[in-house]
Amino acid sequence: MTLTVFADRMSQPSRAIIIFCKVNGIDFEEVRIDLAKRQQLTPQFQEITPMKKVPAIVDGRFKLFESHAILIYLACSFPGIADHWYPADLFLRAKIHSVLDWHHSNLRSGAAGYVLNSTLGPALGLPLNPEAAAKSEKLLSASLGKIESFWLKGRGRFLLGSTQPSIADLSLVCEIMQLELVDEKDRERILGPHKRVMKWVADTKNATSPHFDQVHSVLLKLKEKLQSERAVGETSQNVLPSKL
């Protein structure tokens, strides 16, 4: 039976799952769960995952949620997956798990909290919260600093000094990509000091090309829309005083 991936490409972990499947030639059916329309709350989707979150998969009679668990399952259960994604070596696997465990309460918490409270909230029916955004930005900046000073140590271009990307690289880079949605000056302020992180993001994109850009196209379309709205808002602010 064909693997079914339930996802919304606006979701960072959903994008990681889809890219992994495409890069590794895994045959799958993608079923969109539109988070903006709250489709994750329907009884039908809750039969897949009671957590009411994307991504989730169904492989035959097997159901699984949580993106890192899904990535590990896919890397282990489908033939022909290159070893660098999730190495057979137990020690290397343990190190990848350390990155994935760290990610949840550091980079993911900081990036998601910042983007939601500074930019994306209204699109989901939530107000912007500058105080929460500032708090999340501190965690995000600290997390980027830790990636640059610790997780990217070594001669390799990827996490843990590897010469090829792992599932951890894919997960973390997809998380950072959501910063494309924020105002350009804010993105530059946050990412600008971390040149090694920016190069690692570019290297991961290149290693998963062309699928990385194709899967992120929905995010980049939203980026263009938000930029247009900001430009209209700035124009209105500049014109209004001249008429008073």
Side-chain angles (χ1 to χ4, degrees), residues 7 11 18 21 41 63 69 86 96 109 121 134 148 161 166 177 183-184 194 237 240:
S11 150
I18 295 168
C21 288
L41 304 180
K63 301 175 183 179
Y86 188 62
I96 287 175
S109 181
E148 188 149 281
S166 72
M177 281 299 294
D183 189 89
E184 187 174 349
H194 303 288
Q237 288 178 352
L240 209 58

Side-chain angles (χ1 to χ4, degrees), residues 27 30 36 47 62 88 95 120 123 175 187 191 220 222:
D27 185 27
E30 180 181 346
E47 291 181 4
F62 180 62
K95 289 184 176 182
L120 203 55
E175 196 72 51
R187 185 170 64 256
L191 284 176
L220 299 180
L222 178 57

Side-chain angles (χ1 to χ4, degrees), residues 10 36 62 73 80 82 108 139 162 170 196 201:
M10 283 305 301
F62 180 62
Y73 172 77
R108 177 158 178 73
L139 178 57
S162 177
L170 189 55
R196 193 170 186 183
V201 170

Side-chain angles (χ1 to χ4, degrees), residues 118-119 180-184 187 223 225-235:
S118 69
T119 305
E180 291 291 327
L181 298 179
V182 306
D183 189 89
E184 187 174 349
R187 185 170 64 256
K223 173 184 177 178
K225 178 182 178 182
L226 293 172
Q227 286 178 333
S228 297
E229 291 174 352
R230 291 188 195 105
V232 170
E234 290 172 0
T235 301

Side-chain angles (χ1 to χ4, degrees), residues 91-108:
F91 298 105
L92 295 178
R93 281 191 177 186
K95 289 184 176 182
I96 287 175
H97 279 271
S98 69
V99 178
L100 296 175
D101 289 349
W102 172 87
H103 171 53
H104 282 300
S105 56
N106 292 278
L107 179 64
R108 177 158 178 73

